[in-house]
Amino acid sequence: MPPQDMTTAASPSGGAAPEPTGSEHLLDALQHQVAVFARRAEQTRLGGLGQVRNSMDRAAYLLLNRLDREGPMGVKALAAGMGIDSSTVTRQVAPLVDTGLVKRTSHPEDGRAVVLQLSPRGQARLEEVRSSRRELMTQVTDGWTAEERETFCALLTRFNISLAARQTSHQTPPAG
């Protein structure tokens, strides 16, 4: 059986922490499992599968995915869609342009504006990484039913949407 990755809690004074209520215990377990998930997800990405291991960081993967799913767009639109600022996108896109995964092209309606577009090389590379990650998900969820996979995906999606909404609400300055 795999390790549970659970630790015992201690109070700041070094003594045992007060026993949490049922709801607190569940929320403590949830936050701990999210932290473990984040660490293991990064370790898994770095471990990878086959030829694709160690090959694409999270930022690059998310940028390429967005360009693939939504088509060419400017830095501001890409940043807004990802919930990060334009300078971060500019910094993250630069190596993707340098390696030929993304290309800068003129905006179709305003030739003065520049849009970012997934290159054919970027499309091929993204599909390699997706395929490797699909295989990893197949291995990790081996023994799960289709319903369990769907439920986990739906709940994880809902969790991510809630996190994004919370981040957005905390970034918006109060009206007035």
Side-chain angles (χ1 to χ4, degrees), residues 12-40:
S13 64
E19 191 63 31
T21 65
S23 176
E24 288 172 337
H25 180 71
L26 180 60
L27 294 173
D28 285 349
L30 178 60
Q31 67 79 22
H32 179 80
Q33 290 304 320
V34 168
V36 170
F37 171 76
R39 184 183 68 223
R40 292 207 190 285

Side-chain angles (χ1 to χ4, degrees), residues 5-104:
D5 229 332
M6 298 298 288
T7 58
T8 57
S11 72
S13 64
E19 191 63 31
T21 65
S23 176
E24 288 172 337
H25 180 71
L26 180 60
L27 294 173
D28 285 349
L30 178 60
Q31 67 79 22
H32 179 80
Q33 290 304 320
V34 168
V36 170
F37 171 76
R39 184 183 68 223
R40 292 207 190 285
E42 186 63 12
Q43 290 169 337
T44 300
R45 182 194 64 82
L46 293 173
L49 287 176
Q51 298 287 328
V52 185
R53 63 177 278 158
N54 248 347
S55 61
M56 188 175 289
D57 69 27
R58 180 180 51 247
Y61 180 74
L62 293 171
L63 286 166
L64 294 178
N65 245 330
R66 183 156 298 261
L67 290 172
D68 181 48
R69 293 173 195 258
E70 297 182 23
M73 66 181 75
V75 168
K76 285 183 181 180
L78 189 54
M82 296 184 72
I84 56 180
D85 85 26
S86 295
S87 64
T88 301
V89 168
T90 299
R91 200 171 44 254
Q92 291 174 347
V93 164
L96 300 176
V97 172
D98 292 344
T99 57
L101 300 177
V102 170
K103 58 184 180 178
R104 289 186 175 101

Side-chain angles (χ1 to χ4, degrees), residues 168-176:
T168 301
S169 71
H170 282 82
Q171 290 177 348
T172 306

